[in-house]
Amino acid sequence: MNSKFQPNAIPAASFGIGEVVRHRLLDFRGVIFDVDPEFDNTEEWYQAIPEKIRPAKNQPFYHLLAENAESSYVAYVSQQNLVRDEEGEPVDHPAIASLFEAFDGARYTLRREHRH
């Protein structure tokens, strides 16, 4: 068997904890605070996404402390719908200070007490 081809293989995560990303289709950005290797939310949540833009489940999904022009919130986003944020600006979310320390223009440093 060719070890490079695994038909049901889940792609590796492209983004890491503390990285600032932007949604590819929707107007929001955020900082990653957790990663699921594949979809790990409810079927109801998944089915609520319009079928035309519903992502595949067999890819990493990211938990974000997110912001848009109106508010801050927690988002759950598939890898296919994220791109690196090039703004270089911090994310405005009230929970950031409890999880992260310094921001270097591209990513936040996870607080020591949250590191594994």
Side-chain angles (χ1 to χ4, degrees), residues 12-67:
S14 296
F15 306 104
I17 305 294
E19 197 164 348
V20 179
V21 292
R22 179 172 295 283
H23 196 283
R24 186 182 305 274
L25 304 172
L26 306 174
D27 190 23
F28 72 86
R29 58 195 289 270
V31 59
I32 296 168
F33 70 90
D34 197 10
V35 182
D36 294 335
E38 62 184 328
F39 181 78
D40 191 23
N41 205 332
T42 66
E43 188 62 24
E44 179 181 33
W45 182 93
Y46 186 73
Q47 293 300 324
I49 300 168
E51 191 172 356
K52 289 190 304 190
I53 63 169
R54 192 177 300 148
K57 290 182 177 180
N58 64 339
Q59 64 180 309
F61 275 73
Y62 299 84
H63 300 261
L64 308 177
L65 298 177
E67 69 170 354

Side-chain angles (χ1 to χ4, degrees), residues 72-85:
S72 59
Y73 50 95
V74 173
Y76 191 63
V77 185
S78 65
Q79 181 161 283
Q80 76 185 55
N81 285 324
L82 291 178
V83 295
R84 281 183 177 71
D85 182 75

